[in-house]
Amino acid sequence: KQEVTQIPAALSVPEGENLVLNCSFTDSAIYNLQWFRQDPGKGLTSLLLIQSSQREQTSGRLNASLDKSSGRSTLYIAASQPGDSATYLCAVRRYKLSFGAGTTVTVRA
Amino acid sequence: GAGVSQSPSNKVTEKGKDVELRCDPISGHTALYWYRQSLGQGLEFLIYFQGNSAPDKSGLPSDRFSAERTGGSVSTLTIQRTQQEDSAVYLCASSFGQGADEQYFGPGTRLTVT
């Protein structure tokens, strides 16, 4: 059974600081890995999708890396803003998605 | 085009009642998934439909839970004889295929069993 772990569980940083969120998974036989954002009481917003053959994906201030062989992914958010405050979820896919518990980020103005 | 839609957005029901939750996937998407997000449990897979194949029901927590997908499009998740532990946000997602395609999520249905 796929186990997905996200560290840290919570993170609080001052505005402007870079964020580093970690995700690890136990079974490397995945099709892809997705990073999501979830605001309180809201659904999931997809941020980045990395296919198993890729090493990283970038979108604006967001960059995600994938090391499938070691079962790790890292989401970097550059120059954080208060609007980045949310819970960030990592999910790996075989056919269904297996989710981590998330990292709750607070960016202080 | 339109994204994944779910209805109702909120549902409050009494313990022991049956409830139906609806999901309209993105047009043309052949794969449809149901997930549940409970407080303290995180997000867990419930059931998966792919085209006309038999659904993967391996995530359903009990036989009180069932789902169907009509005409390869709309899906209904039914919970019979609801219990308080069924209270959660039920999320639906769809993707173009079953492989490496991105899953797109609906806004969810928040179910509260009193």
Side-chain angles (χ1 to χ4, degrees), chain A residues 4 18 60 62 64 78:
Chain A
V4 183
N18 297 331
L62 275 60

Side-chain angles (χ1 to χ4, degrees), chain B residues 60-99:
Chain B
L60 295 178
S62 78
D63 58 9
R64 296 186 295 105
F65 287 71
S66 62
E68 62 176 19
R69 188 178 185 192
T70 54
S73 181
V74 171
S75 177
T76 302
L77 177 68
T78 301
I79 308 173
Q80 296 178 310
R81 305 180 303 281
T82 52
Q83 303 294 313
Q84 288 186 330
E85 62 262 29
D86 299 334
S87 296
V89 176
Y90 290 82
L91 292 162
C92 174
S94 70
S95 67
F96 187 73
Q98 65 176 347

Side-chain angles (χ1 to χ4, degrees), chain B:
Chain B
V4 178
S5 61
Q6 293 185 246
S7 61
S9 56
N10 282 285
K11 176 73 176 178
V12 180
T13 190
E14 292 179 353
K15 177 181 173 181
K17 301 282 190 183
D18 297 351
V19 295
E20 286 189 350
L21 312 180
R22 178 187 168 107
C23 171
D24 282 270
I26 293 172
S27 178
H29 280 191
T30 63
L32 187 147
Y33 310 79
W34 283 98
Y35 297 87
R36 177 169 74 172
Q37 188 171 33
S38 308
L39 198 62
Q41 293 292 327
L43 262 152
E44 57 179 335
F45 164 80
L46 296 177
I47 188 169
Y48 157 64
F49 296 89
Q50 172 58 50
N52 295 321
S53 302
D56 178 348
K57 306 178 183 179
S58 61
L60 295 178
S62 78
D63 58 9
R64 296 186 295 105
F65 287 71
S66 62
E68 62 176 19
R69 188 178 185 192
T70 54
S73 181
V74 171
S75 177
T76 302
L77 177 68
T78 301
I79 308 173
Q80 296 178 310
R81 305 180 303 281
T82 52
Q83 303 294 313
Q84 288 186 330
E85 62 262 29
D86 299 334
S87 296
V89 176
Y90 290 82
L91 292 162
C92 174
S94 70
S95 67
F96 187 73
Q98 65 176 347
D101 300 306
E102 185 171 359
Q103 292 189 20
Y104 296 85
F105 280 78
T109 293
R110 181 174 297 277
L111 174 66
T112 304
V113 181
T114 61

